[in-house]
Amino acid sequence: MNVSDHLRTQGLIHRYRDLLPEMPDEAITTIGEGATPLIEAPALSERIGARLFLKFEGLNPTASFKDRGMTVAMSRARAMGMRACVCASTGNTAASAAAYAARAKMECFVMVPVGKIALGKAVQVLAHGARIVQIEGNFDAALRLSKKAVEARDDLALVNSVNPDRIQGQKTAAFEVCEALGAAPDYLALPVGNAGNITAYWKGFTEWRDAGHVASTPTVLGFQAAGAAPLVAGHDIENPETVASAIRIGAPASKAGAMTAVEESDGAIEAVTDGEILEAQSLLASTEGVFCEPASAAGVAGLLKLAREGRAPSGTVVSVLTGHGLKDPDVILNRTKLPDPVEATFEAVSRVMEERIETSGREAT
Ligand SMILES: *Cc1c(COP(=O)(O)O)cnc(C)c1O
């Protein structure tokens, strides 16, 4: 098997090609995205009172679900002969675009709000050799400027989730969830920022049902951060604020798609506080062994909140963990630090271990 034959067997375009927009073989740009695990979460299931699974999208090539849309968007841009791409980003779209553009041999510009991009994501953009343009404004301004740049040049592709190819790629996560469970889940809980992903999941679930693979679709529960919850407030938010930088968005570009998902699935969009988000992130890491970034924990934060209020969903629930915890190390380092060193003696080390084992409350079952 030569290299290009091997590549044609990788990634989600290969697996779901008949349900994706057409593109020629030679344009396909893949880094082996998709096929992420659906991880059962027994400890959180017990707290919530439903059977909870985590769709861990942090295990994509650039460590967020953005790679699903990017493989399709970049392949199509290449098929159309584009030379460069641009995106506005809170970080993960930038990291993904930078990687796929490197692979496609295209120039890549990412517009980010100055000082607001998480460390891991900035490092990825630099490593992949994209050009960061820091905007003295918020995400919404960056998106406006990116759209304008694309209007001015016909060899420049916009790879934000307003690009329908992104949604097409992202819908494949819903296919994978149904394949893993052998049925659609009863509920899907996920974070909502620009609302591209909730739009894509709903499209994926309905297409998979209409293709006859499953009989039903889940009820969709979207969660926004309380300081950046335009879909809950019913109007745009001028200065969105939240620790969950990936969903720090005041004017969601795919608002209409989110509303359709909620209405057709009899779902809802609600808000969770930063405190609830960080608590869920911490519980995921310390009780399930799954480390996601703050925004990614919004779905689980929402489920825990509903459980506390006696409104928890029942049956099979899937929560999408959209990005990896290593994306945003500062959030952890701001709250904890490495303990002081101890003497290099057996006694000192034993003391630490005994104390911890007596007090931690962890017991293997
Ligand atoms: C992009 C992103 C989101 C939000 O997705 P939208 O499609 O903008 O709603 C949530 N979490 C992470 C980690 C992201 O990168």
Side-chain angles (χ1 to χ4, degrees):
M1 188 150 69
N2 67 34
V3 172
S4 52
D5 282 345
H6 170 71
L7 267 182
R8 256 174 236 136
T9 68
Q10 307 292 301
L12 58 83
I13 293 176
H14 164 70
R15 278 190 296 134
Y16 299 113
R17 200 153 176 188
D18 51 338
L19 292 166
L20 292 171
E22 268 181 49
M23 67 197 89
D25 278 352
E26 59 280 8
I28 293 177
T29 305
T30 176
I31 322 178
E33 58 294 317
T36 55
L38 189 67
I39 304 167
E40 184 148 21
L44 288 169
S45 291
E46 197 160 310
R47 280 174 190 261
I48 292 164
R51 190 165 181 203
L52 177 68
F53 293 86
L54 310 167
K55 181 65 172 160
F56 191 21
E57 290 289 281
L59 295 184
N60 276 294
T62 75
S64 85
F65 75 84
K66 300 296 200 294
D67 295 342
R68 290 182 186 275
M70 208 54 75
T71 184
V72 177
M74 207 64 77
S75 299
R76 297 258 292 166
R78 212 166 146 192
M80 289 185 288
M82 296 291 177
R83 279 183 60 195
C85 64
V86 61
C87 64
S89 179
T90 58
N92 281 332
T93 294
S96 184
Y100 282 80
R103 186 103 205 162
K105 300 193 180 68
M106 279 168 48
E107 203 47 69
C108 178
F109 301 94
V110 306
M111 301 210 192
V112 300
V114 62
K116 293 286 170 117
I117 174 170
L119 182 63
K121 306 174 190 181
V123 167
Q124 285 179 290
V125 174
L126 296 173
H128 291 302
R131 174 76 158 90
I132 293 195
V133 185
Q134 296 204 78
I135 305 284
E136 291 170 345
N138 62 18
F139 170 86
D140 307 303
L143 182 56
R144 258 196 318 277
L145 290 165
S146 300
K147 285 178 175 168
K148 220 159 180 177
V150 169
E151 279 166 25
R153 293 190 68 106
D154 57 14
D155 58 356
L156 184 64
L158 182 67
V159 294
N160 275 101
S161 59
V162 292
N163 176 337
D165 293 331
R166 284 274 311 275
I167 305 294
Q168 290 281 352
Q170 285 171 210
K171 76 183 178 186
T172 60
F175 302 164
E176 291 178 14
V177 166
C178 293
E179 287 182 313
L181 294 173
D186 296 306
Y187 289 86
L188 181 84
L190 79 174
V192 175
N194 242 322
N197 212 29
I198 190 171
T199 301
Y201 268 92
W202 184 242
K203 184 173 171 56
F205 282 120
T206 53
E207 282 184 15
W208 205 245
R209 178 200 58 198
D210 294 346
H213 300 302
V214 289
S216 62
T217 52
T219 297
V220 177
L221 304 174
F223 294 96
Q224 299 203 289
L231 299 178
V232 179
H235 56 80
D236 290 354
I237 305 292
E238 188 80 33
N239 294 306
E241 251 327 315
T242 167
V243 67
S245 59
I247 51 173
R248 191 186 285 142
I249 285 172
S254 299
K255 179 178 173 179
M259 289 310 158
T260 303
V262 165
E263 277 160 27
E264 293 185 0
S265 79
D266 201 17
I269 295 186
E270 299 199 18
V272 283
T273 65
D274 279 7
E276 289 166 338
I277 287 173
L278 293 174
E279 166 78 6
Q281 181 196 25
S282 170
L283 278 173
L284 279 159
S286 64
T287 69
E288 302 291 2
V290 179
F291 185 29
C292 67
E293 68 172 282
S296 308
V300 169
L303 293 170
L304 289 167
K305 180 182 123 168
L306 294 182
R308 276 198 308 277
E309 294 171 359
R311 303 189 284 138
S314 55
T316 305
V317 183
V318 169
S319 188
V320 184
L321 304 188
T322 44
H324 201 285
L326 290 172
K327 292 275 193 177
D328 196 350
D330 292 329
V331 163
I332 305 298
L333 292 172
N334 288 343
R335 291 191 299 156
T336 40
K337 59 181 184 66
L338 280 175
D340 293 332
V342 299
E343 251 176 82
T345 62
F346 177 71
E347 288 71 25
V349 171
S350 306
R351 209 171 317 125
V352 171
M353 293 174 68
E354 263 165 40
E355 268 175 31
R356 179 70 186 215
I357 288 170
E358 293 310 317
T359 61
S360 82
R362 281 193 188 180
E363 246 174 87
T365 48

